Each structure stands twice: as structure tokens, then as C-alpha cells.
Amino acid sequence: MPFEADLAHALDRTADSLEPDLTALLGGAVERGRSRRRRRAAVIAGVGACTVAAVAGLVIPGALAGTLPSGSDIETVALAMPRSAITGTQMVDALKQTLPGGAFSQMDGQSNNPSDPSGGYVANGRLVVDDGHGAALVGVSAVRLKLPLGDGDGLSCARTPARAEGDTCTLSELPNSATVPGGAVVMSERNAAEHPARADTAHRWTVTVTLKSTGAQLQMVQWNSTGGGSGADTPKPTRAAPPLSEQQAVAALTGAAWAPILGAVG
């Protein structure tokens, strides 16, 4: 359903303090719990409607875009329908190309449908990969932001309240090139599943690449565990670092495997 899909998308991408429970998703509630945005490599599962009601300032495209509570501290970003259909299978296949040589399990994907706005705005794919250094949950989602770009999701590290101690966010830009026409904004984040973080606390690494010329945006979420979530319920780490470094993630999202999806989105 479009409302649940886009609301789940908004919640996942704007509420860092409420980390998505991808373990539950991988168990059957697949950023969309059988709603589309939960496949954005991170989905709110187990938190459900109570979480939605508790979070102010959600990104809700369409008719509800102007209904945010006054005084909200979270930037909103308007989404645009992707230009072409992307299937969940395409998303999963691109992920497998991005992580060659690993053993894959718990693969799942979600399509979008530009010809039917009720089908949702977001395409998602995710899987658990074991590359010999420990199993890790990895997901990628694809959306298109409306132009002109603002300072919202994936485009700014500013947030209120401030990030928890130990969590990080950096912004950089990619110049115009054949693979990145018009250049791109890159936001890289590292967040602990619980605070204060301990040695056995799982972490999430998020890399978001947004093309300036089209608004096409890919977001990769990597956990150093087999699932994501918030607090003590998050699976313990299986490895020290994610499968891909920040540089490798950016190179992958702007490389050949994801080029068709970036083109279809924007």
C-alpha cells in the first residue's frame, strides 16, 4: 500500500535513533514489511505503527507532504516517481555483482512500478553475505528526489537532536564524469545499534549517493552483523568492519552494476 510504503521509507531514512530491524524483515517481513520502503536496506519491523506515531517530521510524499507537525526538527525531502520500472530481482542481482565471491543467503527484493503510483516509489534489494570474514546484512534502495535538491535526506549531516556520541556523518562530492553526469553528493554515516556503544555492539554503515542532475539516489546500508535494529535486540557483530569500505561502496554504486538502476530511477 502506497501510504505504508512511503511512510516506512520516510521513517527509515529520517529517524536514525530508531534503527530498522532487518532481522525481522529477513525472516519474512522484508529499510518494507511487505510494504515497499522497508526494503530500503533498512526496514522498521517490530516497531510498526507505534514507532510511526512517535516520530515527527517524516518524509511523506504526495497528499500528506504538508502535514508535518509544526516545529519539526527533521528536514523533509519530496520524492518523485522513478522513470522506469526496477524489479526486486534486478536489485538483488546488482547486489550480488557488488559483492562477488561471497556466499549469499536470505535474499529479498522489492520492485517499484512507475506506471502505477500505488505501487510505491522505492526499489529495494538485500541479502546476507559471508565473504569469509563473517556474515553481514547488506541492502540497497533506489529512489528519485524531486529537483532542485534541498538539504534533506542523504544531502546534509545536520540534524536535531545531535547525533549520539560515537556516531559519525561526512559529506563529500563527486565531480561530473561519464559515470556520474552532473556530479553527485555522497553522504557516509556510521551508527551504533545502541548507546553507549560497547565492544559487542553492532554498527551500521550507510553510504548515500545522489546524482545532482536527476535526483536519482542509491543508498547502501551495511551491518557488521546478520541483522539490523536498535538496542540489545540487534544481533551481535560477526565481524569488525562491513564488507565494503566507504570508497568501495561509492565506487560500486557509481559503477557498472548499478548504472542501469540509476538510469531507470532518474
Side-chain angles (χ1 to χ4, degrees):
M1 293 181 286
F3 174 78
E4 291 184 6
D6 297 326
L7 192 57
H9 159 70
L11 187 57
D12 177 58
R13 302 196 51 181
T14 58
D16 281 338
S17 63
L18 298 172
E19 300 297 342
D21 184 353
L22 289 178
T23 301
L25 286 180
L26 291 169
V30 180
E31 128 184 15
R32 294 174 104 187
R34 292 312 183 225
S35 68
R36 303 219 167 225
R37 176 55 186 96
R38 292 184 188 179
R39 312 270 199 273
R40 174 116 197 148
V43 177
I44 303 298
V47 181
C50 293
T51 297
V52 172
V55 179
L58 302 185
V59 181
I60 307 176
L64 298 181
T67 64
L68 299 180
S70 60
S72 170
D73 293 319
I74 301 176
E75 294 285 347
T76 62
V77 177
L79 300 182
M81 285 300 294
R83 300 188 187 280
S84 301
I86 304 168
T87 68
T89 298
Q90 282 178 282
M91 296 294 290
V92 172
D93 287 346
L95 259 176
K96 292 166 73 175
Q97 293 178 52
T98 301
L99 302 161
F104 304 117
S105 62
Q106 303 184 62
M107 294 172 283
D108 200 356
Q110 178 63 56
S111 308
N112 60 36
N113 187 355
S115 65
D116 179 10
S118 67
Y121 291 69
V122 183
N124 300 271
R126 71 182 176 285
L127 50 75
V128 171
V129 59
D130 191 338
D131 56 5
H133 300 285
L137 181 65
V138 182
V140 174
S141 60
V143 298
R144 182 161 68 101
L145 307 186
K146 286 185 177 179
L147 298 176
L149 297 176
D151 293 328
D153 187 32
L155 304 171
S156 172
C157 286
R159 57 165 295 180
T160 302
R163 294 177 184 274
E165 183 178 356
D167 291 353
T168 63
C169 179
T170 59
L171 280 178
S172 60
E173 294 195 12
L174 299 177
N176 175 50
S177 67
T179 56
V180 188
V185 177
V186 177
M187 188 169 80
S188 300
E189 301 170 272
R190 179 178 182 270
N191 301 92
E194 56 183 328
H195 301 91
R198 303 186 306 270
D200 63 347
T201 297
H203 283 76
R204 181 191 71 178
W205 288 260
T206 305
V207 172
T208 307
V209 176
T210 308
L211 297 189
K212 296 180 182 179
S213 59
T214 65
Q217 185 181 84
L218 294 178
Q219 184 179 85
M220 176 181 288
V221 176
Q222 304 180 81
W223 286 88
N224 63 339
S225 68
T226 56
S230 177
D233 292 336
T234 306
K236 296 303 180 182
T238 55
R239 53 195 295 154
L244 300 179
S245 67
E246 176 187 342
Q247 293 74 18
Q248 290 172 324
V250 172
L253 294 177
T254 56
W258 293 98
I261 291 170
L262 271 176
V265 172

